[in-house]
Amino acid sequence: MKKRDLRLITDLNREDLLAIFQLSAEMKADPRAFSKALEGKTMAMINEKQSLRTKVTFEAGIQQLGGYSVYLTNQDINLGKREPVKDVARNLARWVDLVVARVFSQQSIMDLAKYADIPVINALSDEGHPCQAIADLFTVWDCLRERGDLEGFNLTFIGDGNNVCNSLILIAGLLGFHLTVCTPSGYEPDPSMTWQGREMSHDWGGAITFELDPVKAVKSADAIYTDVWTSMGQEKETDERKRVFQGYQVNEGLLSQAPNHAVVMHCLPAHRGEEITDGVLESDRSVVFEQAENRLHTQKALMKYLFDQSA
């Protein structure tokens, strides 16, 4: 059986992404038309971290497509400790049709995909958050560009060069828009993903650049994106990160330096008063809750697309 996984954004190509965007738009417009799209299919969802958006959007999503969900936390399976990941993968592949995993280590995703002969979706790891990046750029494509080309679009990411930033770099390379990354020195994204993103962007007219000064970074931005300064698992670094990232807050002053049409994006949960102010997040320039809603539509489309491609 040929199968397709989503381990990182690079498991998809430009045509895949645009097809998923189109399918997402169709599912968003008429969800009932797809109520039997995955009838009888069962998803196992492994979740090593706390989750609101990922848990609800994947579980509600497969139910809306006619399928079922089995939810597995650390208390249930203790992935990789109670038994090897490869054994978990081969067991699940005999019982269910799809594995979605939100894990600490990218290696767990790689092992699940290697040993399970069913599609595996990375719902977050230390290296990437591809589902979030797909929902983010669908939001741009659907809401801001009215389903037009992303050529010439300027997205500025401000904050920690984390898993979300890594995935935005890779998807920028595939879709050919301009991504400016603004992080403090020492908190840059994975250099190997920056290299991959830049290599891919050469084919599609995009660019990935770095700027240390947040004011300069937002001068030509069409959208400004930020994320928490301290991710789950980094809690011991909280005080130090608050000190280092002080000048990287997305606030009213910084937003005033951006073009008037620039919108604000955040993958949530937000630490209001740290990486973003309450006023900016609640302002009419925020598309944060559009992004959150689009997690549902894009993940439904992604599940159906991977099943269709794996048939």
Side-chain angles (χ1 to χ4, degrees):
M1 171 184 169
K2 183 185 80 172
K3 66 144 180 169
R4 295 282 306 269
D5 302 305
L6 180 63
R7 298 165 299 177
L8 291 169
I9 283 290
T10 44
D11 278 331
L12 303 174
N13 59 36
R14 180 184 175 90
E15 290 70 30
D16 292 327
L17 281 169
L18 294 176
I20 290 168
F21 284 0
Q22 183 59 44
L23 184 56
S24 301
E26 293 169 11
M27 289 182 166
K28 186 174 183 177
D30 188 7
R32 291 189 178 184
F34 297 88
S35 61
K36 295 183 179 180
L38 296 184
E39 188 172 29
K41 301 290 188 184
T42 302
M43 170 189 75
M45 183 167 192
I46 298 170
N47 209 335
E48 292 189 310
K49 296 185 174 186
Q50 292 178 321
S51 169
L52 171 65
R53 279 153 294 280
T54 299
K55 172 178 166 57
V56 174
T57 52
F58 267 111
E59 290 206 285
I62 197 158
Q63 290 173 28
Q64 291 173 15
L65 296 172
Y68 308 94
S69 172
V70 178
Y71 189 69
L72 301 166
T73 68
N74 269 343
Q75 287 190 322
D76 298 310
I77 62 172
N78 206 8
L79 185 67
K81 296 176 182 174
R82 184 169 176 269
E83 60 185 317
V85 175
K86 62 183 180 182
D87 287 358
V88 173
R90 289 178 288 194
N91 276 275
L92 289 175
R94 292 178 179 235
W95 302 326
V96 303
D97 304 289
L98 168 71
V99 175
V100 174
R102 179 179 169 91
V103 296
F104 285 101
S105 170
Q106 178 68 23
Q107 189 58 50
S108 296
I109 297 291
M110 305 305 284
D111 288 345
L112 287 167
K114 180 178 179 180
Y115 290 101
D117 58 358
I118 56 176
V120 172
I121 294 176
N122 177 358
L124 180 141
S125 73
D126 57 339
E127 292 186 11
H129 199 350
C131 294
Q132 181 66 54
I134 292 169
D136 295 337
L137 270 300
F138 172 75
T139 302
V140 172
W141 178 83
D142 186 46
C143 302
L144 305 182
R145 282 300 177 100
E146 298 179 340
R147 304 180 186 180
D149 203 317
L150 296 180
E151 184 179 354
F153 189 82
N154 291 309
L155 174 64
T156 294
F157 180 91
I158 296 181
D160 186 23
N162 59 14
N163 50 2
V164 172
C165 185
N166 287 337
S167 292
L168 290 173
I169 286 171
L170 295 177
I171 205 167
L174 283 173
L175 293 176
F177 62 90
H178 186 182
L179 176 66
T180 300
V181 177
C182 180
T183 66
S185 179
Y187 292 87
E188 295 87 356
D190 186 321
S192 68
M193 295 197 194
T194 300
W195 180 85
Q196 287 182 74
R198 283 176 163 164
E199 285 293 302
M200 294 187 291
S201 70
H202 293 157
D203 295 332
W204 302 111
I208 295 158
T209 58
F210 285 77
E211 171 57 60
L212 278 172
D213 183 344
V215 172
K216 292 180 180 176
V218 303
K219 280 294 183 186
S220 59
D222 296 307
I224 302 167
Y225 196 123
T226 191
D227 189 10
V228 293
W229 294 338
T230 304
S231 297
M232 282 182 281
Q234 299 173 328
E235 287 78 6
K236 291 181 180 177
E237 303 173 28
T238 298
D239 290 343
E240 175 65 8
R241 284 173 172 266
K242 283 183 180 178
R243 185 187 66 78
V244 171
F245 284 90
Q246 269 306 309
Y248 291 81
Q249 184 186 65
V250 177
N251 53 35
E252 288 78 355
L254 184 63
L255 194 55
S256 71
Q257 300 298 315
N260 291 334
H261 69 272
V263 301
V264 176
M265 306 179 76
H266 195 303
C267 55
L268 298 176
H271 293 175
R272 299 176 189 227
E274 291 187 15
E275 77 277 1
I276 191 168
T277 60
D278 183 74
V280 168
L281 197 149
E282 295 290 349
S283 74
D284 58 7
R285 295 173 72 172
S286 168
V287 295
V288 168
F289 295 103
E290 288 292 332
Q291 292 173 258
E293 178 188 332
N294 286 333
R295 289 285 302 274
L296 174 68
H297 308 303
T298 53
Q299 288 164 190
K300 286 168 66 176
L302 176 64
M303 287 190 284
K304 178 171 172 24
Y305 189 79
L306 292 183
F307 271 123
D308 290 347
Q309 293 278 309
S310 299

